[in-house]
């Protein structure tokens, strides 16, 4: 059996009341969830940079090993050429070997220079790595404190939040998909999370703009879904202001 407009309004207003209570629970947490996420992202970024620093250090150490191997190879060749130089037959052979000796000596000098440069780069990277590691430790402490604070707040409201979430899931099933999607969209765009409101004191309960008397009459009848012409929120009904007047009694005093 299809629900009447009045039933639809009651159902979606009930959903709004549940979601508003859930919003209140989330509001207590303030910016903590975002702060925790930001710190986690920041630390993840530091970890990536630390890995890059270590990779650079490993690369420079590999370079040093390669340059040392080059030096050993050049030293072997120098020894070989020196032995050959002792048995040359003419000046041309002597000059050729001398050039090879000079070339290998130059190779050794270049390799030693490269080793020194790589050593300096390693020291710099290790300094950067240590500085970043200390910073990451400090941020990790901040994260641990924030998470502990958030976990405490969540634990205090966990039972109520779970209950309300269950109520939300049941309530939204009673609402047709098209209306539920509209409700969700309006809630997402509303700063206070209110998609369904009552008309109070002649004004929209969401944006507080005046609702004309004739429109209020239509809202009371609940024969069709009516939205606020200013903010687009669904108007579920009209709350009449009840003024209670105290009855004043006067005491009469008898004349003597």
């Amino acid at each position: 059996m299809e629900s009447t407009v009045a039933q639809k309004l009651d159902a979606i207003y009930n959903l709004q009341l549940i979601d508003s209570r859930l919003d209140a629970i989330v509001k207590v947490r303030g910016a903590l969830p975002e702060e925790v996420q930001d710190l986690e992202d920041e630390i993840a970024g530091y970890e990536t940079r630390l890995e890059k620093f270590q990779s650079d250090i490993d690369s420079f150490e590999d370079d040093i090993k390669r340059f040392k191997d080059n030096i050993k190879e050049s030293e072997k060749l120098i020894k070989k050429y020196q032995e050959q130089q002792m048995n040359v037959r003419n000046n041309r052979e002597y000059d050729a070997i001398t050039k090879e000796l000079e070339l290998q000596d130059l190779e050794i000098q270049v390799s030693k220079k490269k080793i020194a440069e790589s050593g300096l780069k390693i020291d710099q990277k290790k300094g950067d790595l240590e500085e970043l590691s200390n910073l990451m430790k400090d941020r990790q402490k901040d994260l641990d404190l924030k998470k502990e604070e958030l976990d405490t707040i969540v634990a205090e409201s966990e039972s109520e939040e779970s209950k309300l979430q269950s109520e939300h899931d049941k309530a939204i099933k009673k609402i047709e998909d098209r209306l539920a999607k509209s409700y969700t969209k309006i809630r997402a765009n509303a700063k206070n999370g209110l998609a369904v409101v009552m008309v109070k004191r002649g004004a929209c309960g969401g944006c507080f703009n005046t609702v004309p008397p004739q429109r209020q009459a239509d809202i009371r009848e609940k024969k069709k879904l009516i939205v606020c012409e200013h903010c687009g929120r669904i108007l579920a009904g009209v709350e009449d202001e009840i003024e209670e007047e105290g009855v004043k009694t006067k005491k009469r005093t008898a004349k003597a």
Side-chain angles (χ1 to χ4, degrees), residues 26-221:
V26 173
K27 189 176 181 180
V28 172
R29 297 169 191 168
L32 274 175
E34 289 78 10
E35 289 174 3
V36 167
Q37 185 62 57
D38 288 344
L39 282 169
E40 288 177 341
D41 292 343
E42 184 180 346
I43 290 171
Y46 290 153
E47 289 174 344
T48 300
R49 288 175 62 190
L50 286 174
E51 289 175 3
K52 179 65 168 61
F53 285 155
Q54 188 58 56
S55 176
D56 290 343
I57 290 171
D58 293 341
S59 178
F60 291 138
E61 288 178 343
D62 288 340
D63 288 342
I64 289 174
K65 183 178 182 301
R66 179 164 53 83
F67 293 135
K68 285 182 176 179
D69 289 341
N70 289 343
I71 289 174
K72 288 180 181 179
E73 185 63 28
S74 291
E75 288 173 342
K76 287 180 182 179
L77 289 172
I78 287 173
K79 185 177 180 181
K80 174 185 173 183
Y81 291 142
Q82 285 174 339
E83 290 175 355
Q84 290 178 353
Q85 200 175 41
M86 300 297 293
N87 300 309
V88 295
R89 290 171 294 183
N90 52 56
N91 288 338
R92 185 167 60 83
E93 289 182 359
Y94 183 88
D95 290 342
I97 292 174
T98 299
K99 286 183 179 180
E100 288 296 332
L101 286 169
E102 290 174 350
L103 180 62
Q104 294 307 316
D105 185 61
L106 181 62
E107 285 288 338
I108 290 173
Q109 291 179 43
V110 170
S111 293
K112 285 182 177 180
K113 182 181 178 182
K114 293 292 185 182
I115 288 171
E117 290 174 352
S118 295
L120 289 173
K121 290 177 180 178
I122 287 173
D123 291 340
Q124 183 179 354
K125 288 293 179 181
K126 283 184 175 179
D128 293 339
L129 190 147
E130 183 179 3
E131 183 180 348
L132 187 58
S133 294
N134 291 333
L135 176 59
M136 192 172 78
K137 287 177 183 177
D138 290 338
R139 300 308 280 160
Q140 185 64 53
K141 289 178 182 177
D142 293 339
L143 175 59
D144 292 342
L145 288 172
K146 294 285 185 184
K147 287 182 76 173
E148 184 179 353
E149 186 179 352
L150 179 59
D151 289 343
T152 300
I153 294 173
V154 170
E156 289 174 351
S157 59
E158 187 175 11
S159 177
E160 184 182 359
E161 185 177 8
S162 178
K163 180 183 175 183
L164 287 171
Q165 188 59 54
S166 178
E167 290 179 13
H168 165 91
D169 295 341
K170 291 177 183 177
I172 203 166
K173 287 179 181 178
K174 296 178 181 179
I175 302 168
E176 60 186 57
D177 290 343
R178 183 180 60 81
L179 185 56
K181 287 178 181 178
S182 296
Y183 167 82
T184 302
K185 185 177 180 180
I186 297 170
R187 252 177 69 79
N189 293 327
K191 290 182 179 179
N192 54 10
L194 293 176
V196 185
V197 296
M198 301 291 284
V199 175
K200 299 180 180 180
R201 295 182 180 179
C204 169
C207 66
F208 309 111
N209 278 290
T210 301
V211 178
Q214 182 54 50
R215 198 166 183 81
Q216 291 185 44
D218 293 338
I219 295 167
R220 281 194 180 92
E221 289 181 357

